[in-house]
PDB file of all heavy atoms in Angstrom:
ATOM      1  N   PRO B   1     -29.751 -11.589  -1.355  1.00 76.00           N
ATOM      2  CA  PRO B   1     -30.874 -10.683  -1.349  1.00 76.00           C
ATOM      3  C   PRO B   1     -30.880  -9.806  -0.202  1.00 76.00           C
ATOM      4  O   PRO B   1     -30.709 -10.217   0.962  1.00 76.00           O
ATOM      5  CB  PRO B   1     -32.053 -11.683  -1.371  1.00 76.00           C
ATOM      6  CG  PRO B   1     -31.566 -12.872  -2.102  1.00 76.00           C
ATOM      7  CD  PRO B   1     -30.093 -12.988  -1.654  1.00 76.00           C
ATOM      8  N   GLU B   2     -31.264  -8.483  -0.461  1.00 62.00           N
ATOM      9  CA  GLU B   2     -31.172  -7.473   0.563  1.00 62.00           C
ATOM     10  C   GLU B   2     -32.067  -7.700   1.772  1.00 62.00           C
ATOM     11  O   GLU B   2     -31.695  -7.400   2.893  1.00 62.00           O
ATOM     12  CB  GLU B   2     -31.616  -6.128  -0.087  1.00 62.00           C
ATOM     13  CG  GLU B   2     -31.246  -4.900   0.745  1.00 62.00           C
ATOM     14  CD  GLU B   2     -31.437  -3.639  -0.071  1.00 62.00           C
ATOM     15  OE1 GLU B   2     -32.228  -3.650  -1.008  1.00 62.00           O
ATOM     16  OE2 GLU B   2     -30.835  -2.638   0.324  1.00 62.00           O
ATOM     17  N   HIS B   3     -33.215  -8.344   1.570  1.00 52.00           N
ATOM     18  CA  HIS B   3     -34.105  -8.587   2.674  1.00 52.00           C
ATOM     19  C   HIS B   3     -33.546  -9.682   3.637  1.00 52.00           C
ATOM     20  O   HIS B   3     -34.102  -9.798   4.768  1.00 52.00           O
ATOM     21  CB  HIS B   3     -35.479  -8.985   2.231  1.00 52.00           C
ATOM     22  CG  HIS B   3     -35.552 -10.243   1.476  1.00 52.00           C
ATOM     23  ND1 HIS B   3     -35.276 -10.392   0.082  1.00 52.00           N
ATOM     24  CD2 HIS B   3     -35.891 -11.516   1.885  1.00 52.00           C
ATOM     25  CE1 HIS B   3     -35.393 -11.619  -0.281  1.00 52.00           C
ATOM     26  NE2 HIS B   3     -35.827 -12.360   0.788  1.00 52.00           N
ATOM     27  N   GLU B   4     -32.595 -10.398   3.233  1.00 61.00           N
ATOM     28  CA  GLU B   4     -31.953 -11.404   4.094  1.00 61.00           C
ATOM     29  C   GLU B   4     -30.651 -10.875   4.622  1.00 61.00           C
ATOM     30  O   GLU B   4     -29.555 -11.397   4.279  1.00 61.00           O
ATOM     31  CB  GLU B   4     -31.746 -12.756   3.347  1.00 61.00           C
ATOM     32  CG  GLU B   4     -33.007 -13.277   2.734  1.00 61.00           C
ATOM     33  CD  GLU B   4     -32.779 -14.546   1.958  1.00 61.00           C
ATOM     34  OE1 GLU B   4     -31.903 -15.334   2.354  1.00 61.00           O
ATOM     35  OE2 GLU B   4     -33.429 -14.765   0.938  1.00 61.00           O
ATOM     36  N   GLU B   5     -30.792  -9.911   5.565  1.00 61.00           N
ATOM     37  CA  GLU B   5     -29.556  -9.226   6.029  1.00 61.00           C
ATOM     38  C   GLU B   5     -28.577 -10.162   6.707  1.00 61.00           C
ATOM     39  O   GLU B   5     -27.375 -10.015   6.593  1.00 61.00           O
ATOM     40  CB  GLU B   5     -29.967  -8.067   6.974  1.00 61.00           C
ATOM     41  CG  GLU B   5     -30.754  -6.925   6.278  1.00 61.00           C
ATOM     42  CD  GLU B   5     -31.110  -5.814   7.168  1.00 61.00           C
ATOM     43  OE1 GLU B   5     -30.642  -5.927   8.342  1.00 61.00           O
ATOM     44  OE2 GLU B   5     -31.744  -4.848   6.697  1.00 61.00           O
ATOM     45  N   ASP B   6     -29.049 -11.094   7.511  1.00 71.00           N
ATOM     46  CA  ASP B   6     -28.215 -11.981   8.233  1.00 71.00           C
ATOM     47  C   ASP B   6     -27.422 -12.888   7.270  1.00 71.00           C
ATOM     48  O   ASP B   6     -26.312 -13.315   7.579  1.00 71.00           O
ATOM     49  CB  ASP B   6     -29.015 -12.848   9.220  1.00 71.00           C
ATOM     50  CG  ASP B   6     -29.556 -12.110  10.350  1.00 71.00           C
ATOM     51  OD1 ASP B   6     -29.071 -11.019  10.602  1.00 71.00           O
ATOM     52  OD2 ASP B   6     -30.525 -12.601  11.041  1.00 71.00           O
ATOM     53  N   LEU B   7     -27.929 -13.134   6.076  1.00 79.00           N
ATOM     54  CA  LEU B   7     -27.290 -13.942   5.140  1.00 79.00           C
ATOM     55  C   LEU B   7     -25.973 -13.351   4.688  1.00 79.00           C
ATOM     56  O   LEU B   7     -25.067 -14.075   4.394  1.00 79.00           O
ATOM     57  CB  LEU B   7     -28.214 -14.206   3.931  1.00 79.00           C
ATOM     58  CG  LEU B   7     -27.662 -15.154   2.816  1.00 79.00           C
ATOM     59  CD1 LEU B   7     -27.456 -16.539   3.404  1.00 79.00           C
ATOM     60  CD2 LEU B   7     -28.697 -15.239   1.670  1.00 79.00           C
ATOM     61  N   ARG B   8     -25.892 -12.002   4.665  1.00 87.00           N
ATOM     62  CA  ARG B   8     -24.660 -11.371   4.248  1.00 87.00           C
ATOM     63  C   ARG B   8     -23.463 -11.604   5.169  1.00 87.00           C
ATOM     64  O   ARG B   8     -22.337 -11.442   4.764  1.00 87.00           O
ATOM     65  CB  ARG B   8     -24.929  -9.930   4.068  1.00 87.00           C
ATOM     66  CG  ARG B   8     -25.732  -9.502   2.921  1.00 87.00           C
ATOM     67  CD  ARG B   8     -25.600  -8.034   2.580  1.00 87.00           C
ATOM     68  NE  ARG B   8     -26.634  -7.610   1.587  1.00 87.00           N
ATOM     69  CZ  ARG B   8     -26.736  -6.380   1.195  1.00 87.00           C
ATOM     70  NH1 ARG B   8     -25.901  -5.462   1.656  1.00 87.00           N
ATOM     71  NH2 ARG B   8     -27.625  -6.051   0.327  1.00 87.00           N
ATOM     72  N   LYS B   9     -23.713 -12.057   6.391  1.00 87.00           N
ATOM     73  CA  LYS B   9     -22.700 -12.411   7.333  1.00 87.00           C
ATOM     74  C   LYS B   9     -22.405 -13.863   7.378  1.00 87.00           C
ATOM     75  O   LYS B   9     -21.635 -14.280   8.193  1.00 87.00           O
ATOM     76  CB  LYS B   9     -22.935 -11.829   8.718  1.00 87.00           C
ATOM     77  CG  LYS B   9     -22.870 -10.337   8.761  1.00 87.00           C
ATOM     78  CD  LYS B   9     -22.885  -9.798  10.183  1.00 87.00           C
ATOM     79  CE  LYS B   9     -22.631  -8.311  10.238  1.00 87.00           C
ATOM     80  NZ  LYS B   9     -22.566  -7.773  11.620  1.00 87.00           N
ATOM     81  N   HIS B  10     -23.077 -14.669   6.556  1.00 88.00           N
ATOM     82  CA  HIS B  10     -22.819 -16.068   6.462  1.00 88.00           C
ATOM     83  C   HIS B  10     -21.353 -16.216   6.034  1.00 88.00           C
ATOM     84  O   HIS B  10     -20.883 -15.534   5.147  1.00 88.00           O
ATOM     85  CB  HIS B  10     -23.718 -16.750   5.418  1.00 88.00           C
ATOM     86  CG  HIS B  10     -23.694 -18.194   5.363  1.00 88.00           C
ATOM     87  ND1 HIS B  10     -22.616 -18.913   4.827  1.00 88.00           N
ATOM     88  CD2 HIS B  10     -24.517 -19.214   5.869  1.00 88.00           C
ATOM     89  CE1 HIS B  10     -22.804 -20.155   4.894  1.00 88.00           C
ATOM     90  NE2 HIS B  10     -23.949 -20.373   5.586  1.00 88.00           N
ATOM     91  N   HIS B  11     -20.606 -17.164   6.613  1.00 91.00           N
ATOM     92  CA  HIS B  11     -19.203 -17.213   6.384  1.00 91.00           C
ATOM     93  C   HIS B  11     -18.844 -17.623   4.996  1.00 91.00           C
ATOM     94  O   HIS B  11     -17.692 -17.462   4.550  1.00 91.00           O
ATOM     95  CB  HIS B  11     -18.520 -18.147   7.399  1.00 91.00           C
ATOM     96  CG  HIS B  11     -19.025 -19.603   7.314  1.00 91.00           C
ATOM     97  ND1 HIS B  11     -20.163 -20.049   7.944  1.00 91.00           N
ATOM     98  CD2 HIS B  11     -18.459 -20.655   6.704  1.00 91.00           C
ATOM     99  CE1 HIS B  11     -20.326 -21.344   7.653  1.00 91.00           C
ATOM    100  NE2 HIS B  11     -19.281 -21.719   7.001  1.00 91.00           N
ATOM    101  N   HIS B  12     -19.759 -18.243   4.217  1.00 88.00           N
ATOM    102  CA  HIS B  12     -19.520 -18.512   2.809  1.00 88.00           C
ATOM    103  C   HIS B  12     -19.718 -17.280   1.910  1.00 88.00           C
ATOM    104  O   HIS B  12     -19.240 -17.243   0.788  1.00 88.00           O
ATOM    105  CB  HIS B  12     -20.408 -19.686   2.323  1.00 88.00           C
ATOM    106  CG  HIS B  12     -19.858 -20.997   2.769  1.00 88.00           C
ATOM    107  ND1 HIS B  12     -20.673 -22.121   2.749  1.00 88.00           N
ATOM    108  CD2 HIS B  12     -18.704 -21.384   3.266  1.00 88.00           C
ATOM    109  CE1 HIS B  12     -19.979 -23.153   3.193  1.00 88.00           C
ATOM    110  NE2 HIS B  12     -18.763 -22.735   3.587  1.00 88.00           N
ATOM    111  N   ILE B  13     -20.489 -16.313   2.409  1.00 94.00           N
ATOM    112  CA  ILE B  13     -20.688 -15.098   1.677  1.00 94.00           C
ATOM    113  C   ILE B  13     -19.693 -13.997   2.086  1.00 94.00           C
ATOM    114  O   ILE B  13     -19.096 -13.315   1.265  1.00 94.00           O
ATOM    115  CB  ILE B  13     -22.168 -14.565   1.889  1.00 94.00           C
ATOM    116  CG1 ILE B  13     -23.104 -15.520   1.195  1.00 94.00           C
ATOM    117  CG2 ILE B  13     -22.312 -13.179   1.381  1.00 94.00           C
ATOM    118  CD1 ILE B  13     -24.573 -15.107   1.407  1.00 94.00           C
ATOM    119  N   SER B  14     -19.433 -13.971   3.406  1.00 96.00           N
ATOM    120  CA  SER B  14     -18.469 -12.987   3.936  1.00 96.00           C
ATOM    121  C   SER B  14     -17.426 -13.820   4.716  1.00 96.00           C
ATOM    122  O   SER B  14     -17.559 -13.990   5.911  1.00 96.00           O
ATOM    123  CB  SER B  14     -19.163 -11.994   4.837  1.00 96.00           C
ATOM    124  OG  SER B  14     -20.066 -11.160   4.160  1.00 96.00           O
ATOM    125  N   PRO B  15     -16.415 -14.275   4.000  1.00 97.00           N
ATOM    126  CA  PRO B  15     -15.409 -15.143   4.677  1.00 97.00           C
ATOM    127  C   PRO B  15     -14.637 -14.503   5.768  1.00 97.00           C
ATOM    128  O   PRO B  15     -13.953 -15.192   6.519  1.00 97.00           O
ATOM    129  CB  PRO B  15     -14.471 -15.670   3.528  1.00 97.00           C
ATOM    130  CG  PRO B  15     -14.754 -14.655   2.423  1.00 97.00           C
ATOM    131  CD  PRO B  15     -16.188 -14.166   2.585  1.00 97.00           C
ATOM    132  N   LEU B  16     -14.763 -13.180   5.910  1.00 97.00           N
ATOM    133  CA  LEU B  16     -14.134 -12.493   7.044  1.00 97.00           C
ATOM    134  C   LEU B  16     -14.634 -13.075   8.344  1.00 97.00           C
ATOM    135  O   LEU B  16     -13.900 -13.094   9.333  1.00 97.00           O
ATOM    136  CB  LEU B  16     -14.497 -11.024   7.001  1.00 97.00           C
ATOM    137  CG  LEU B  16     -13.956 -10.161   8.117  1.00 97.00           C
ATOM    138  CD1 LEU B  16     -12.443 -10.040   8.039  1.00 97.00           C
ATOM    139  CD2 LEU B  16     -14.543  -8.712   8.072  1.00 97.00           C
ATOM    140  N   PHE B  17     -15.836 -13.579   8.362  1.00 96.00           N
ATOM    141  CA  PHE B  17     -16.471 -14.024   9.665  1.00 96.00           C
ATOM    142  C   PHE B  17     -16.302 -15.565   9.821  1.00 96.00           C
ATOM    143  O   PHE B  17     -16.955 -16.192  10.651  1.00 96.00           O
ATOM    144  CB  PHE B  17     -17.947 -13.652   9.625  1.00 96.00           C
ATOM    145  CG  PHE B  17     -18.173 -12.187   9.544  1.00 96.00           C
ATOM    146  CD1 PHE B  17     -18.782 -11.689   8.399  1.00 96.00           C
ATOM    147  CD2 PHE B  17     -17.807 -11.309  10.519  1.00 96.00           C
ATOM    148  CE1 PHE B  17     -18.992 -10.321   8.272  1.00 96.00           C
ATOM    149  CE2 PHE B  17     -17.968  -9.973  10.351  1.00 96.00           C
ATOM    150  CZ  PHE B  17     -18.594  -9.442   9.229  1.00 96.00           C
ATOM    151  N   ALA B  18     -15.479 -16.226   8.975  1.00 97.00           N
ATOM    152  CA  ALA B  18     -15.333 -17.658   8.973  1.00 97.00           C
ATOM    153  C   ALA B  18     -14.279 -18.092   9.972  1.00 97.00           C
ATOM    154  O   ALA B  18     -13.371 -17.345  10.382  1.00 97.00           O
ATOM    155  CB  ALA B  18     -15.023 -18.175   7.590  1.00 97.00           C
ATOM    156  N   GLU B  19     -14.336 -19.383  10.303  1.00 97.00           N
ATOM    157  CA  GLU B  19     -13.215 -20.061  10.974  1.00 97.00           C
ATOM    158  C   GLU B  19     -12.185 -20.400   9.941  1.00 97.00           C
ATOM    159  O   GLU B  19     -12.441 -21.262   9.120  1.00 97.00           O
ATOM    160  CB  GLU B  19     -13.797 -21.288  11.708  1.00 97.00           C
ATOM    161  CG  GLU B  19     -14.850 -21.058  12.753  1.00 97.00           C
ATOM    162  CD  GLU B  19     -14.254 -20.275  13.936  1.00 97.00           C
ATOM    163  OE1 GLU B  19     -13.017 -20.371  14.211  1.00 97.00           O
ATOM    164  OE2 GLU B  19     -15.021 -19.512  14.618  1.00 97.00           O
ATOM    165  N   LEU B  20     -11.027 -19.805   9.992  1.00 98.00           N
ATOM    166  CA  LEU B  20     -10.016 -19.883   8.927  1.00 98.00           C
ATOM    167  C   LEU B  20      -8.961 -20.962   9.210  1.00 98.00           C
ATOM    168  O   LEU B  20      -8.052 -21.136   8.371  1.00 98.00           O
ATOM    169  CB  LEU B  20      -9.392 -18.541   8.704  1.00 98.00           C
ATOM    170  CG  LEU B  20     -10.315 -17.409   8.384  1.00 98.00           C
ATOM    171  CD1 LEU B  20      -9.568 -16.053   8.233  1.00 98.00           C
ATOM    172  CD2 LEU B  20     -11.106 -17.698   7.075  1.00 98.00           C
ATOM    173  N   GLU B  21      -9.007 -21.642  10.350  1.00 98.00           N
ATOM    174  CA  GLU B  21      -8.046 -22.627  10.690  1.00 98.00           C
ATOM    175  C   GLU B  21      -7.885 -23.673   9.510  1.00 98.00           C
ATOM    176  O   GLU B  21      -8.850 -24.104   8.964  1.00 98.00           O
ATOM    177  CB  GLU B  21      -8.407 -23.426  11.964  1.00 98.00           C
ATOM    178  CG  GLU B  21      -8.290 -22.542  13.230  1.00 98.00           C
ATOM    179  CD  GLU B  21      -9.565 -21.744  13.500  1.00 98.00           C
ATOM    180  OE1 GLU B  21     -10.494 -21.792  12.625  1.00 98.00           O
ATOM    181  OE2 GLU B  21      -9.597 -21.032  14.513  1.00 98.00           O
ATOM    182  N   GLY B  22      -6.611 -23.915   9.278  1.00 98.00           N
ATOM    183  CA  GLY B  22      -6.327 -25.017   8.296  1.00 98.00           C
ATOM    184  C   GLY B  22      -6.220 -24.600   6.867  1.00 98.00           C
ATOM    185  O   GLY B  22      -5.986 -25.378   5.938  1.00 98.00           O
ATOM    186  N   LEU B  23      -6.406 -23.316   6.585  1.00 98.00           N
ATOM    187  CA  LEU B  23      -6.265 -22.810   5.213  1.00 98.00           C
ATOM    188  C   LEU B  23      -4.783 -22.761   4.832  1.00 98.00           C
ATOM    189  O   LEU B  23      -3.949 -22.621   5.667  1.00 98.00           O
ATOM    190  CB  LEU B  23      -6.896 -21.361   5.056  1.00 98.00           C
ATOM    191  CG  LEU B  23      -8.416 -21.253   5.272  1.00 98.00           C
ATOM    192  CD1 LEU B  23      -8.866 -19.925   4.807  1.00 98.00           C
ATOM    193  CD2 LEU B  23      -9.110 -22.413   4.533  1.00 98.00           C
ATOM    194  N   PRO B  24      -4.523 -22.879   3.513  1.00 98.00           N
ATOM    195  CA  PRO B  24      -3.152 -22.899   3.022  1.00 98.00           C
ATOM    196  C   PRO B  24      -2.510 -21.508   3.143  1.00 98.00           C
ATOM    197  O   PRO B  24      -3.223 -20.506   3.451  1.00 98.00           O
ATOM    198  CB  PRO B  24      -3.264 -23.297   1.577  1.00 98.00           C
ATOM    199  CG  PRO B  24      -4.667 -22.883   1.193  1.00 98.00           C
ATOM    200  CD  PRO B  24      -5.500 -23.051   2.420  1.00 98.00           C
ATOM    201  N   PRO B  25      -1.262 -21.353   2.865  1.00 98.00           N
ATOM    202  CA  PRO B  25      -0.563 -20.048   2.909  1.00 98.00           C
ATOM    203  C   PRO B  25      -1.311 -19.041   2.075  1.00 98.00           C
ATOM    204  O   PRO B  25      -1.760 -19.404   0.970  1.00 98.00           O
ATOM    205  CB  PRO B  25       0.872 -20.361   2.348  1.00 98.00           C
ATOM    206  CG  PRO B  25       1.061 -21.779   2.728  1.00 98.00           C
ATOM    207  CD  PRO B  25      -0.225 -22.457   2.636  1.00 98.00           C
ATOM    208  N   LEU B  26      -1.356 -17.805   2.494  1.00 98.00           N
ATOM    209  CA  LEU B  26      -2.275 -16.844   1.921  1.00 98.00           C
ATOM    210  C   LEU B  26      -1.499 -15.546   1.666  1.00 98.00           C
ATOM    211  O   LEU B  26      -0.903 -15.002   2.707  1.00 98.00           O
ATOM    212  CB  LEU B  26      -3.491 -16.653   2.755  1.00 98.00           C
ATOM    213  CG  LEU B  26      -4.541 -15.593   2.335  1.00 98.00           C
ATOM    214  CD1 LEU B  26      -5.182 -16.017   1.040  1.00 98.00           C
ATOM    215  CD2 LEU B  26      -5.629 -15.403   3.430  1.00 98.00           C
ATOM    216  N   LEU B  27      -1.545 -14.988   0.529  1.00 99.00           N
ATOM    217  CA  LEU B  27      -1.092 -13.614   0.228  1.00 99.00           C
ATOM    218  C   LEU B  27      -2.222 -12.698  -0.075  1.00 99.00           C
ATOM    219  O   LEU B  27      -3.056 -13.064  -0.942  1.00 99.00           O
ATOM    220  CB  LEU B  27      -0.063 -13.623  -0.960  1.00 99.00           C
ATOM    221  CG  LEU B  27       0.383 -12.278  -1.488  1.00 99.00           C
ATOM    222  CD1 LEU B  27       1.165 -11.488  -0.398  1.00 99.00           C
ATOM    223  CD2 LEU B  27       1.123 -12.349  -2.762  1.00 99.00           C
ATOM    224  N   ILE B  28      -2.329 -11.567   0.602  1.00 99.00           N
ATOM    225  CA  ILE B  28      -3.363 -10.574   0.446  1.00 99.00           C
ATOM    226  C   ILE B  28      -2.721  -9.314  -0.075  1.00 99.00           C
ATOM    227  O   ILE B  28      -1.790  -8.830   0.532  1.00 99.00           O
ATOM    228  CB  ILE B  28      -4.138 -10.339   1.698  1.00 99.00           C
ATOM    229  CG1 ILE B  28      -4.576 -11.663   2.421  1.00 99.00           C
ATOM    230  CG2 ILE B  28      -5.339  -9.417   1.403  1.00 99.00           C
ATOM    231  CD1 ILE B  28      -4.880 -11.507   3.843  1.00 99.00           C
ATOM    232  N   GLN B  29      -3.244  -8.767  -1.166  1.00 99.00           N
ATOM    233  CA  GLN B  29      -2.738  -7.444  -1.703  1.00 99.00           C
ATOM    234  C   GLN B  29      -3.942  -6.512  -1.721  1.00 99.00           C
ATOM    235  O   GLN B  29      -5.043  -6.894  -2.181  1.00 99.00           O
ATOM    236  CB  GLN B  29      -2.202  -7.670  -3.088  1.00 99.00           C
ATOM    237  CG  GLN B  29      -0.890  -8.396  -3.147  1.00 99.00           C
ATOM    238  CD  GLN B  29      -0.294  -8.442  -4.526  1.00 99.00           C
ATOM    239  OE1 GLN B  29      -1.044  -8.447  -5.532  1.00 99.00           O
ATOM    240  NE2 GLN B  29       0.963  -8.586  -4.722  1.00 99.00           N
ATOM    241  N   VAL B  30      -3.704  -5.311  -1.266  1.00 98.00           N
ATOM    242  CA  VAL B  30      -4.786  -4.247  -1.315  1.00 98.00           C
ATOM    243  C   VAL B  30      -4.142  -2.951  -1.461  1.00 98.00           C
ATOM    244  O   VAL B  30      -3.013  -2.663  -1.094  1.00 98.00           O
ATOM    245  CB  VAL B  30      -5.607  -4.362  -0.048  1.00 98.00           C
ATOM    246  CG1 VAL B  30      -4.869  -3.921   1.167  1.00 98.00           C
ATOM    247  CG2 VAL B  30      -6.879  -3.568  -0.125  1.00 98.00           C
TER     248      VAL B  30
END
């Protein structure tokens, strides 16, 4: 929801801001 601006940076909503240690091999295409 738009009125919850801080929520958009929650690491489950925006994983860019997460602690990524321990994740498996990752391929990104863009």
Side-chain angles (χ1 to χ4, degrees):
E2 194 170 22
H3 64 278
E4 300 180 36
E5 293 182 3
D6 290 341
L7 184 60
R8 290 195 188 178
K9 289 193 174 183
H10 188 285
H11 63 279
H12 282 162
I13 290 177
S14 295
L16 178 67
F17 304 111
E19 299 293 332
L20 302 176
E21 290 84 358
L23 294 193
L26 179 66
L27 171 65
I28 310 159
Q29 293 183 331
V30 69

